[in-house]
Amino acid sequence: MDSFLPSPDCDTISKTDNGQIDSHLIQKTNEGYREILPNLPRGKGWMTEHLVQYQGVWLTPNFALKGLMWVQDHFKPRSTDICLATFPKTGTTWLKALTFATVNRTRYGFTDHPLLTTVPHGCLPFLEACPKDLDGFPSPRLLSTHIPYTLLPNSMTVNQSCRFVYICRDPKDVLVSKWLFMNKLRPKELAPISLEEAFELFCQGISHYGPYWDHVLGYWKASLETPEKILFLKYEDLKKEPLVVVKRLDDFLGYPFSLEEESKGVVEEIVKLCSFENLSTLEVNKVSEQKFSKDTIIDNRHFFRKGKVGDWKTYLTTEMVERLDEITYEKLLGSGLVFGS
Ligand code: PAP
């Protein structure tokens, strides 16, 4: 498996000779980071004490900010790269599993598949984790990122650029999923963040890689301009018609299912393998953890909660729903995009 071996974070890379990236360049990024950090606007954090705003996006001050700077300064894309782009809690884990399973479907059997023993996040590298070994990966590389489209370096988006698969989700479900997830990861010394607080911050755009609507619109507009480069998906469609969406995904990726594969039920097998019901009950996803950087280690079980559409109804008040829907309506007005199926 071309699995992603968890990488050291940018600090560690700067101290090692990694053979791929000039350590002086990394040092320069780290110096730039230390210089800008104190002057960035701050907002309340969900998982960390605060978030910082850089180039219009809200980021955790260590991992996400350094990661973005690393990608902008050093990432060397290839035209064959396939990058899964998401706002957190919109379906990243699911999309990673589906893409990994479909692209590698001739390599692995369904009974001893890597996804049965590896969390989807461990199967493809996350760019912001500053993976140092990317140059050694064979093409086509499967990558992932939370970086907004407009902040990606030109080398990733112009001319011989990568291809992207983006997935969005109803912001009400994103908010609830994110709030519950972040409170699980919030250090004990910080008081849990209330739903009311999380709601206010989300509406103001102050959440990891937020504002949410800007993130979605960046990829949406780019997908309209260059549909051959960006496939735009919705979590709700994937839930409703997984077989249809997976076939679209494979056509886009350039790995269309043959008639023989379809008649043998390969698409159904992939959907079943990657289903919430299957992945969430696997031992690896109940007891192991994923290391994204030296300070960012997450229990795999936190990536699987309910996996439903509309769970916001359990948590949000009528006033919250009205306000969030109104913001969404205003932000998306004229874009042609609507959330949900
Ligand atoms: P991440 O950004 O931290 O990687 P991400 O995978 O994007 O999170 O989103 C997690 C959500 O996807 C969770 O939603 P919930 O809180 O509303 O339940 C999680 O349960 C859901 N999820 C994870 N895996 C799957 C899957 N295989 N099918 C459907 N939903 C899934």
Side-chain angles (χ1 to χ4, degrees), residues 88-94 121 169 177 235 274 303 305-307:
K89 315 322 288 180
T90 57
T92 319
T93 313
W94 195 11
H121 291 281
R169 191 179 186 189
S177 180
Y235 183 96
C274 302
F303 295 112
R305 192 183 63 90
K306 281 196 186 167

Side-chain angles (χ1 to χ4, degrees), residues 216-260:
V216 177
L217 282 173
Y219 282 94
W220 170 249
K221 286 177 187 159
S223 77
L224 296 180
E225 281 159 21
T226 52
E228 69 288 358
K229 289 283 183 194
I230 303 177
L231 177 68
F232 192 95
L233 303 176
K234 295 178 183 173
Y235 183 96
E236 293 77 12
D237 289 343
L238 198 45
K239 268 277 165 195
K240 200 168 155 193
E241 295 187 304
L243 297 177
V244 174
V245 178
V246 169
K247 281 191 215 164
R248 268 184 72 203
L249 174 68
D250 270 28
D251 287 345
F252 174 80
L253 295 174
Y255 296 83
F257 290 102
S258 65
L259 285 177
E260 193 191 343

Side-chain angles (χ1 to χ4, degrees), residues 86-98 120-121 146 167 169 173-174 176-178 180-182 184 235 238-239 271 273-280 292 298 301-309 311:
T86 56
F87 186 89
K89 315 322 288 180
T90 57
T92 319
T93 313
W94 195 11
L95 185 61
K96 283 184 179 179
L98 286 168
H121 291 281
H146 286 321
I167 188 160
R169 191 179 186 189
D173 276 332
V174 177
V176 168
S177 180
K178 196 175 172 91
L180 293 165
F181 177 81
M182 294 293 174
K184 283 181 200 141
Y235 183 96
L238 198 45
K239 268 277 165 195
V271 167
L273 172 71
C274 302
S275 67
F276 181 87
E277 293 67 27
N278 183 47
L279 293 183
S280 62
F292 291 91
I298 301 178
R301 68 195 156 92
H302 294 325
F303 295 112
F304 304 91
R305 192 183 63 90
K306 281 196 186 167
K308 293 209 163 106
V309 171
D311 192 42

